[in-house]
Amino acid sequence: MIIKKLPQEFEQARPVMQQIEAAGFEAYFVGGSVRDTILNKPIHDVDIATSAYPEEIKQIFHRTVDTGIEHGTVMILDHGKGYETTTFRTESGYQDFRRPDEVTFVRSLQEDLQRRDFTINALAMKEDGTVIDLFNGLKDLKAGMIRAVGTPQERFHEDALRMMRAIRFASQLDFKIEKKTLAGIQENAALLSKIAVERTRVELEKLLLGENPANGISALIETNLYEYCPMLAHFKSGLTQLLALNDWHLSSETEVWSLLSYAFFLQGKQVTTFLKAWKTSNQVLEDTQAIVSAVSPLLEGEPSKLLLYHTGRERLASANKIANLFGGEIDTPELLEQYDQLPIKSKKQLAINGGQLMKQANLTPGPMIGTILTQLETAVVNGEMENKLESLLEEAKNIAKV
Ligand SMILES: Nc1ccn([C@@H]2O[C@H](COP(=O)(O)OP(=O)(O)OP(=O)(O)O)[C@@H](O)[C@H]2O)c(=O)n1
Ligand SMILES: [Mg+2]
């Protein structure tokens, strides 16, 4: 197979490939970018595999960065772009099920490709678009099949994360997992606990953000992999419930964690415990908390102005998306319109501040100031008071008297 029209990311990298070849070495595009091009999907980064050793690459190109030289990876800088090139290699050892004990550089493309995870990820492409397909990856791409290269057991022992990758691709590409590969995951699922939570998290997020998340979730359950993911062992029924939802497409990590938390009936501190177990960022945690607490009122259909205000625009859209998945009926554009009509969007927009309260209403510094500001804020948001300095000062004095 020759791909005639290559995406511009490959075109740009061509001179680099040609230079490696001119020096007498082989160079191929490998990995996800080749797979996604054949699937007509947009690509992000192009990876290059080469028979040249890192030191040889550094002799060919003047501007390089050692991004992972012990693994054979050198970044070539060319016309303001960086190209990761990795020397063909084999790996051995894998006593910890996640990293090889030893990496050996080799000159043969075949040896490099045969240690890769799935046939669809073991394609290589020359700079002229010729595809090298040593493991029937093209056939599997066409059939929509995820199949381990060689023996699944070996591939999963080399890196147990590959089991999560398999189900992630099942969702992302809407592919099936081939029988022996699926059985390999079932048999080796427990090895996933050896993998750093952060790596597993990235795969779970990609799974839930994928084209057909239900496909990935069924495989997660069917293979028992979920039992070796942080805390998911407790939530089999919650996970199963997700399979019944109609056609859903999430669009951020925060939506992933909010959907899971809501589907698992988690609240307050339970959300924190769950997300901490998955080591999400604090920002994701904060946003998820806000979204999860907004879902039930949205589902009930009468969200208060104060809820809209405290949730904020972006989180509100996510919360309503989740509410609608569970039967909520509020239209998101209408809800956002209501939000946009709130008199203020944050405390900063209140026409009065603590300093003015002290100076112009003669209030003494202390916690009372905060309490009064919050009451004024609530009144303004609810449309009970105008957002004007004089009337707010007047009201502040009244509150202080009581
Ligand atoms: N555990 C892994 C990770 C990666 N690879 C190989 O390295 C390539 C690049 O890895 P990566 O960028 O992590 O995955 P992609 O397949 O490119 O997927 P994505 O589009 O998500 O980057 C893969 O295609 C595969 O050939 C592998 O064999 N085993
Ligand atoms: Mg990639």
Side-chain angles (χ1 to χ4, degrees):
M1 177 180 191
I2 295 191
I3 302 173
K4 294 225 174 64
K5 178 97 188 70
L6 292 180
Q8 63 146 14
E9 288 86 346
F10 292 117
E11 294 292 347
Q12 282 171 345
R14 262 181 132 165
V16 167
M17 307 279 277
Q18 285 165 345
Q19 248 174 292
I20 301 175
E21 288 177 350
F25 301 101
E26 291 174 48
Y28 300 90
F29 295 115
V30 287
S33 60
V34 179
R35 175 195 71 223
D36 291 339
T37 298
I38 299 170
L39 289 173
N40 267 322
K41 291 188 182 263
I43 60 171
H44 0 273
D45 45 334
V46 305
D47 291 316
I48 298 170
T50 176
S51 60
Y53 290 177
E55 289 310 322
E56 292 166 336
I57 287 291
K58 287 165 72 166
Q59 275 168 17
I60 306 171
F61 297 93
H62 300 298
R63 299 180 57 226
T64 60
V65 185
D66 292 357
T67 43
I69 198 151
E70 67 281 15
H71 305 112
T73 306
V74 174
M75 163 119 54
I76 298 171
L77 301 175
D78 180 76
H79 289 90
K81 291 230 152 62
Y83 297 97
E84 293 248 295
T85 50
T86 305
T87 303
F88 296 157
R89 60 186 207 201
T90 59
E91 300 167 350
S92 54
Y94 308 104
Q95 294 194 33
D96 61 1
F97 304 103
R98 52 193 171 174
R99 284 181 300 244
D101 302 340
E102 207 177 271
V103 170
T104 313
F105 300 144
V106 294
R107 297 287 190 188
S108 131
L109 174 67
Q110 161 144 16
E111 280 189 71
D112 181 88
L113 295 180
Q114 74 194 18
R115 56 114 192 143
R116 290 177 183 267
D117 53 4
F118 306 112
T119 60
I120 58 169
N121 291 342
L123 294 161
M125 186 174 76
K126 287 201 213 173
E127 50 90 17
D128 67 359
T130 309
V131 176
I132 288 119
D133 177 19
L134 305 179
F135 303 97
N136 281 325
L138 285 175
K139 193 168 135 244
D140 285 336
L141 261 189
K142 218 170 168 191
M145 196 64 86
I146 295 151
R147 184 195 310 270
V149 173
T151 316
Q153 160 102 352
E154 283 174 18
R155 295 293 86 75
F156 298 143
H157 274 238
E158 286 160 3
D159 182 357
L161 186 73
R162 288 171 165 170
M163 299 186 285
M164 280 302 282
R165 282 171 57 89
I167 62 165
R168 176 260 275 202
F169 287 122
S171 161
Q172 220 174 27
L173 307 174
D174 194 9
F175 275 25
K176 291 202 169 55
I177 303 175
E178 176 272 331
K179 228 169 113 198
K180 284 189 192 145
T181 305
L182 196 71
I185 301 177
Q186 263 152 355
E187 282 156 29
N188 295 287
L191 295 181
L192 186 66
S193 31
K194 310 263 182 196
I195 297 298
V197 172
E198 292 85 344
R199 293 179 76 205
T200 307
R201 189 189 69 228
V202 171
E203 298 303 327
L204 184 72
E205 288 170 348
K206 287 184 176 173
L207 185 165
L208 289 160
L209 288 165
E211 195 69 36
N212 187 350
N215 202 17
I217 296 169
S218 321
L220 189 66
I221 299 172
E222 191 185 342
T223 56
N224 278 338
L225 258 188
Y226 77 98
E227 288 191 28
Y228 304 96
C229 288
M231 292 188 74
L232 292 192
H234 307 294
F235 301 119
K236 187 177 185 184
S237 61
L239 277 173
T240 309
Q241 196 198 333
L242 292 176
L243 299 175
L245 300 181
N246 278 330
D247 190 35
W248 42 291
H249 287 285
L250 301 183
S251 40
S252 67
E253 285 162 45
T254 305
E255 288 187 358
V256 165
W257 295 104
S258 303
L259 174 67
L260 291 178
S261 301
Y262 184 76
F264 299 165
F265 302 107
L266 304 180
Q267 282 177 344
K269 281 206 177 115
Q270 297 166 317
V271 174
T272 310
T273 309
F274 181 54
L275 267 62
K276 289 229 182 260
W278 279 93
K279 301 196 178 170
T280 67
S281 70
N282 285 335
Q283 185 65 57
V284 168
L285 174 59
E286 240 175 69
D287 289 342
T288 302
Q289 292 279 19
I291 292 170
V292 171
S293 33
V295 175
S296 293
L298 287 167
L299 249 173
E300 282 151 25
E302 291 278 319
S304 67
K305 286 181 173 155
L306 218 49
L307 181 88
L308 306 193
Y309 173 78
H310 284 300
T311 307
R313 202 174 198 280
E314 207 179 324
R315 294 162 164 184
L316 204 54
S318 296
N320 200 48
K321 186 192 254 190
I322 294 169
N324 288 355
L325 282 177
F326 288 88
E329 288 176 345
I330 299 176
D331 179 56
T332 300
E334 268 173 37
L335 182 70
L336 294 181
E337 180 61 36
Q338 279 179 40
Y339 174 85
D340 291 339
Q341 281 168 10
L342 290 175
I344 57 171
K345 306 295 187 294
S346 76
K347 213 170 204 156
K348 278 194 217 107
Q349 293 178 345
L350 201 60
I352 194 167
N353 61 33
Q356 288 162 320
L357 272 183
M358 288 185 278
K359 257 196 230 137
Q360 302 182 37
N362 290 322
L363 296 180
T364 41
M368 189 62 181
I369 302 282
T371 312
I372 292 178
L373 276 178
T374 305
Q375 286 192 34
L376 298 177
E377 179 189 25
T378 305
V380 169
V381 170
N382 283 333
E384 292 151 8
M385 284 196 71
E386 273 194 281
N387 190 26
K388 293 233 169 75
L389 180 61
E390 296 80 58
S391 46
L392 291 173
L393 267 177
E394 214 44 51
E395 180 66 12
K397 287 178 194 159
N398 287 337
I399 300 171
K401 268 189 225 147
V402 189

